[in-house]
């Protein structure tokens, strides 16, 4: 009768280590996972560089196996330590973890050359593991708050930018035409976005005087309206920054806080505040 | 005698559906129109892509007829449901609606190949229908207010940018000359705008050391003065953001104002505020 | 004895028209001058476009003579209507006016082909007349105040940007070398400025992995520090915008103004303010 | 017995001149050093320009010897005037000073052609002497304070930008592939940084429609999130700007604070404020 309790507590302990970061073991697990993720991403990058892959193919192959085994263990531990395994398995990260771990096993058993190319692509999904690092940022910080608060305004702004780009892209397609690189409307819209956002690749550039005039308008427009998202976020950041007009006092009678800096009486119950 | 009233009420109902969006039918009409506009714009885009046009020419042709008939019905309904049809017909949207609907009819009756090219261009005007979507943004939002309030300052800024570009463009024309791509002054001004707005296509780039020096000055200038519109809009956004935390009440006893939104007692003298 | 007085008053009148803008005649003169300046600049631009110059050479030549005669008259009037003509003649605008008017006369008398090219360049100086438009902006507006107030900070910022560009340009010269377009240090610094300001022409681009890594650092640096001038000007604009904390009341006793919004007593003499 | 004291005082004097800038001699030393540093940097730049180096090789060689001798004297003086010479010698500036002075001596004694190339590169380190100019900026100014205060937020932002670039770079590598210039993942990430920061060299540009679509997303993202560092710094600048208009006094009668700088009477109760 002792055994199941023990097993449960063992599972509970494991859950604490893997899914939480409050205990020293949990932190250690997090640090090891962090290093493994970064190592795996560097590995993926190096493999994609042909010259490095040719030279150190075997070392990279071994490294990939090590990483894969580590992630396999992590995957199995995650599955067995959670109460409802399906909740993890079908979560976004669960799918990413599975898809980015499995390819090398398949390539080991079915050493066909055709399928391997598609599998390699699958292996690149491992890059999404980097999103796990995102939770170290701390979702509750002011930046995210400011961004979330100005979400609606930014959406309106992006919608406006998109309409401008669609119209100006079409106009440029009419003016410049296929002979100057504006081969179709989607490509012209792409060019308008490249120009409005002041990126300016230069792979497509207007050649006619009229086209250059409209391009100038787009550029100056893009240069000016960049002020809008900045203004939105700035205003929002100013708001979320602690309000210097309110002090941290709380009323000795009704315990309400957030009084005005200069207040001598509580705004809620009217009793005198401590000076 | 009942008939004309009925007809009028029928017209009135139609007007409500088409021009307003308060009734469920009006909202439904808006949603359908929205979808039709987006569909028509996607159609225009797809037709401009040669490879897609070659493959799915017939499907696109059918799609265009469906869209055209829908817009024709909309056009007729708009004309008959309004009291003074000319007010709609000669409005901006009326002209756009007419010009973007008519080409396919003409091409059907006069199947001449020459005129068709010009007609295709006319069909592209349909893109301006997208502007109709703009009214869903809500013109009264803060962003527009902030922009409108800082209109004069932004105009001064743009005027300043233009003068700088004209002078520096001319100077670059003198220094670099036609052999380095600065073939004439308007083109040099175009290049100065491309550079000052930090777009930098790279289709024209200074080759002489002196030209590169002046280009550096233009770039650093452009990089610095982008702060100006941003500063303008930021300051304006800060102003227009209403202070949600304070109401406009004033204390009946000491006449102090600027109380907190939920205050029941004056923060200054402690007397009860009017509810 | 009447004559000199008359002459003086005539001169005085002329001075009022030309140098001031308070009388209707003065405003008219300003408007005509404005149009003439813009016309002359457009003329200079058109002449620089070879295809237009070839087609409408005679019309442009006539236009230039008209503009030149107008500016000659203006120049003479300015000289005779001012008390100390030398003060105008040797001022910045006086020199610009003279240098931009004289070339066509010289080319008329000495029709040598060699000197003409240099003279044409001189004629381009007319572009600086556009600076005269600058006075319509109003030098006392807030934007200029904000810019002037943050002059020192912006200078520090530009100095910092320059040091960064010099160091990173040299580093890139060492890494990439002449074979990848970084032929010498000044050119590499030019490239660093192009990159840091996010212009990115692309005429020179790093080819080695290490060079691309450092380029990435420069780009992210440039992308981040653009916030600094913006922050400076924003903060300054916020300061110069009318302080909502102060009302426009003035004390009925001591006439001091600029009281706090909530003030009931004058901060200077202690008497009760009108509510 | 007098001698060591004298020597010490002579050393002390020298230390004052070289390491401090409070005495007139110290300031003079600083100015001379400043000029020498700028001259040496200009020299390094000019030498790197092949055409100038070919023409004025001898003059540049002499100039370099003069600079080198000056810096050698400075180096020796710095070493002998400091109490613990090793503290200077192994400091960052000590190493830079030594490494940037020594090459010309070595090339004089060992005139081998092979080593010279490496030595030339070493000479370029002299550029880091420019960092000495940085101390004239004054580290305590508000800009640095604002930047230091927002360090953590900016780090979070850069971390976020990097994750976005790594993911989008990998996605672009999958979509575009080596045939369109995205030869490996690090290069694709480099391209993503080039695009997100709105630099846009154009040496690599997406060719497939899907690639251009994702590029558009990256560009609009980059165009929008530039608002974040700006917002951070703006908010910080607003905070650090001290409110010059209000003092920290409080009224002896009603205890109100936040009085105007020049106030003599309380704005609330009218009683005299303590001077």
């Amino acid at each position: 009768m002792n055994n199941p309790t023990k097993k449960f507590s063992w599972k509970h302990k494991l859950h604490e280590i893997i899914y939480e970061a409050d205990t020293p073991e949990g932190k250690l697990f997090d640090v090891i996972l962090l290093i493994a993720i970064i190592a795996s991403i560097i590995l993926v990058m190096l493999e994609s560089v042909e010259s490095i892959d040719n030279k150190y193919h075997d070392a990279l192959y071994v490294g990939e196996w090590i990483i894969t085994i580590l992630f396999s263990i992590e995957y199995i531990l995650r599955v067995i330590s959670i109460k409802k395994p399906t909740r993890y398995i079908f979560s976004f990260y669960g799918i990413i973890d599975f898809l980015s771990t499995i390819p090398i096993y398949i390539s080991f058993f079915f050493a066909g050359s055709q399928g391997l190319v598609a599998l390699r692509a699958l292996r690149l999904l491992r890059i999404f593991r980097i999103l796990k690092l995102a939770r170290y940022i701390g979702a509750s910080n002011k930046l995210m708050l400011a961004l979330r608060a100005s979400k609606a305004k930014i959406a309106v702004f992006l919608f406006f930018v998109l309409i401008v780009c669609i119209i100006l892209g079409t106009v440029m397609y009419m003016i410049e035409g296929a002979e100057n690189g504006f081969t179709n409307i989607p490509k012209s819209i792409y060019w308008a976005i490249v120009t409005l956002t002041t990126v300016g690749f230069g792979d497509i550039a207007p050649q006619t005087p009229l086209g250059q005039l409209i391009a100038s308008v787009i550029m100056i427009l893009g240069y000016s309206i960049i002020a809008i998202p900045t203004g939105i976020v700035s205003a929002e950041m100013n708001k979320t920054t602690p309000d210097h007009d309110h002090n941290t006092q709380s009323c000795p009678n009704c315990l309400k806080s957030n009084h005005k800096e200069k207040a001598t009486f509580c705004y809620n119950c009217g009793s005198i505040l401590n000076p």
Side-chain angles (χ1 to χ4, degrees), chain A residues 102-116 119:
Chain A
I102 211 72
I104 200 167
Y105 291 112
I106 302 179
S107 72
F108 186 70
F109 293 113
F110 311 92
S113 59
Q114 270 89 349
L116 262 163
L119 280 171

Side-chain angles (χ1 to χ4, degrees), chain A residues 10 33 61 67 83 119 122 126 130 154 174 222 239:
Chain A
W10 171 78
L33 188 63
Y61 190 71
I67 293 283
K83 273 184 194 162
L119 280 171
L122 216 62
R126 206 181 291 162
I130 210 173
I154 286 176
M174 287 195 260
K239 255 199 276 178

Side-chain angles (χ1 to χ4, degrees), chain A residues 60-114:
Chain A
L60 291 172
Y61 190 71
V62 169
E64 197 165 338
W65 267 109
I66 293 167
I67 293 283
T68 301
I69 288 163
L70 272 173
F71 284 153
S72 304
I73 294 167
E74 187 219 345
Y75 187 78
I76 292 162
L77 290 180
R78 275 188 193 274
V79 168
I80 60 169
S81 74
I82 205 168
K83 273 184 194 162
K84 293 185 181 170
T86 50
R87 191 185 277 172
Y88 166 69
I89 291 170
F90 297 108
S91 70
F92 175 70
Y93 286 126
I95 293 164
I96 290 293
D97 285 357
F98 183 78
L99 285 179
S100 60
T101 310
I102 211 72
I104 200 167
Y105 291 112
I106 302 179
S107 72
F108 186 70
F109 293 113
F110 311 92
S113 59
Q114 270 89 349

